[in-house]
Amino acid sequence: MSVASEAYHLLSKAIYHYENENFEMAITLLDEAILLDPEIPEVHYWRGKVATHDLNQESLEVAIVELSEAIRLKPDYADAYFERGKVYIQKGEFEEAKKDLEKAIQLNPKLKEAYSLLAQIELVSGNDEKAMKYLEKVSHQEGDDRYYYSLGKIFYNAGKYQSAIEQFNKTIEKNKYFVDAYVYKAHALANLGNYQEAIENLKKAIILVPEEISYFIDMAKYYFEIGKQKAKEGNNIEAAENFIKGLQIDYNLKIEKQYIPVIMKAVKELLENKNYKEALELIDQLELIVKEPEYAEFKEEFNKLKKEVMKSLPLKDKIIKFVMDIYTK
């Protein structure tokens, strides 16, 4: 096997590992390939692609260098212009991004995502008409689900959340199984402060893709945001309930210290309303929270509250609590 053939063989293996998200192995193979033959543009292209997965400034600079070298070696490399344009967007250098993306579609008019990114740049700059002209290139059949989704993404990235929601609604009308439309609609709603509606949309996404952990993590965060809203309104019980819902989904979340007294007040209010079962459930959850070292300052107050709860319980509930404690210890 010739040196060039061996380099291409390594490149092929690197692409396989990249597509399977094994980026460390991919870059190792690309390093070997470039030592064998530094004049293969595709090797530099894929080294640039791998570098973009670390979104720090240094990695983005490496990506620019590698993609620029790919273009130097192959001046009509449309995909390299496209990828470099995406990196410039990540760096916030929109004029450079625009030049690269325009060059990419000049070389390959079928690069639909390039039109979407150009539309996004124009929309951020306030050039709505130009943005729409680019977007019309995304779909030959205006009005299909991809068209509306792409438009929704552009509005979302530009911070025009209500307009984005309208487009995601149209996407879902066309295709009720379009998972990303529910997800982005949820995030748009959350940016507008409509956290409960955001959660409902994430639940729909979870039904379609139950294995996606990020949907649960976002849902937990939104329950926390509702908790904060309810606390601000003075609704301690609903605030506490939402904090607990969030923790039950993602126990890695941390409640800000200012909200621990809110949960304690909720326990007292539940006792006053004789909602003993709910008070017990809340005190059990609160006990798990205050065990953490960062909440040590609340431990003494919590212990007093727990005694107050136990003292207020009817005899039957005290017995049930006692038995449950035995079996859970």
Side-chain angles (χ1 to χ4, degrees):
M1 186 182 291
S2 68
V3 170
S5 296
E6 177 63 20
Y8 275 107
H9 177 66
L10 290 167
L11 172 61
S12 179
K13 288 170 68 176
I15 293 170
Y16 170 80
H17 285 290
Y18 175 90
E19 290 173 345
N20 286 278
E21 299 186 357
N22 188 350
F23 303 121
E24 285 187 18
M25 180 57 73
I27 198 64
T28 299
L29 292 164
L30 290 167
D31 286 345
E32 292 178 28
I34 208 165
L35 287 172
L36 288 172
D37 190 343
E39 299 297 309
I40 299 175
E42 289 79 9
V43 172
H44 292 282
Y45 169 78
W46 284 98
R47 281 168 63 84
K49 288 258 293 182
V50 172
T52 61
H53 282 271
D54 289 326
L55 294 178
N56 58 64
Q57 196 65 27
E58 186 179 343
S59 294
L60 294 179
E61 293 297 341
V62 169
I64 293 288
V65 170
E66 292 292 346
L67 292 165
S68 297
E69 181 63 9
I71 291 166
R72 186 188 71 79
L73 293 167
K74 186 178 176 181
D76 62 347
Y77 205 157
D79 286 345
Y81 280 107
F82 172 65
E83 289 296 331
R84 194 171 68 176
K86 285 166 62 177
V87 176
Y88 278 130
I89 288 175
Q90 289 172 320
K91 286 166 59 63
E93 297 176 21
F94 296 116
E95 282 304 315
E96 293 300 318
K98 190 175 174 181
K99 288 176 192 174
D100 272 355
L101 294 169
E102 286 174 343
K103 183 66 175 179
I105 59 176
Q106 177 192 332
L107 293 166
N108 182 4
K110 293 181 180 179
L111 276 171
K112 288 188 177 182
E113 193 180 344
Y115 293 108
S116 292
L117 293 174
L118 281 164
Q120 180 182 320
I121 291 169
E122 295 295 353
L123 199 61
V124 169
S125 303
N127 302 323
D128 292 10
E129 286 186 21
K130 270 191 174 182
M132 287 305 300
K133 283 179 182 176
Y134 280 126
L135 187 64
E136 284 167 7
K137 302 284 188 180
V138 174
S139 174
H140 294 299
Q141 183 184 352
E142 183 176 338
D144 70 2
D145 56 351
R146 295 297 313 180
Y147 175 87
Y148 290 126
Y149 174 71
S150 297
L151 183 54
K153 280 283 295 290
I154 290 169
F155 282 128
Y156 179 86
N157 290 329
K160 298 185 177 183
Y161 300 117
Q162 192 56 55
S163 296
I165 290 165
E166 290 168 11
Q167 299 308 317
F168 293 135
N169 284 338
K170 290 177 183 177
T171 308
I172 293 163
E173 284 173 19
K174 293 284 182 181
N175 180 1
K176 64 181 179 181
Y177 302 108
F178 205 126
V179 178
D180 285 345
Y182 290 110
V183 175
Y184 272 97
K185 180 184 173 186
H187 297 329
L189 286 161
N191 275 290
L192 293 173
N194 298 333
Y195 297 108
Q196 189 59 55
E197 208 176 332
I199 288 168
E200 296 309 314
N201 276 272
L202 284 174
K203 286 179 180 177
K204 291 172 184 175
I206 288 167
I207 290 170
L208 294 169
V209 187
E211 66 273 16
E212 181 52 63
I213 301 299
S214 66
Y215 301 164
F216 291 95
I217 292 171
D218 288 333
M219 189 189 300
K221 289 176 183 174
Y222 294 158
Y223 274 122
F224 262 42
E225 292 302 326
I226 294 173
K228 292 175 185 178
Q229 286 180 340
K230 295 299 180 182
K232 192 174 181 180
E233 294 167 7
N235 192 331
N236 299 314
I237 293 174
E238 284 194 36
E241 287 172 349
N242 279 284
F243 284 129
I244 298 308
K245 282 178 184 177
L247 284 174
Q248 287 171 339
I249 295 169
D250 181 7
Y251 208 78
N252 290 318
L253 284 175
K254 296 292 182 184
I255 296 177
E256 294 171 45
K257 287 183 179 181
Q258 69 193 81
Y259 297 111
I260 299 298
V262 171
I263 300 175
M264 290 184 174
K265 287 177 186 175
V267 173
K268 291 177 182 178
E269 288 175 20
L270 287 166
L271 283 179
E272 289 169 8
N273 296 332
K274 301 190 186 310
N275 293 329
Y276 301 116
K277 183 181 176 183
E278 290 87 345
L280 270 176
E281 289 173 354
L282 199 51
I283 203 76
D284 285 343
Q285 293 291 333
L286 188 55
E287 187 165 21
L288 293 172
I289 295 167
V290 298
K291 277 182 179 178
E292 299 294 327
E294 59 262 48
Y295 303 114
E297 65 196 85
F298 298 104
K299 201 156 188 181
E300 186 178 341
E301 188 180 350
F302 167 78
N303 288 333
K304 288 180 183 176
L305 179 60
K306 186 177 179 182
K307 285 179 183 176
E308 185 182 335
V309 170
M310 294 305 296
K311 187 178 178 182
S312 303
L313 290 179
L315 180 59
K316 181 181 175 182
D317 291 297
K318 284 182 182 177
I319 294 169
I320 292 170
K321 172 67 175 165
F322 179 76
V323 172
M324 289 298 294
D325 284 348
I326 292 173
Y327 282 100
T328 53
K329 283 181 180 178

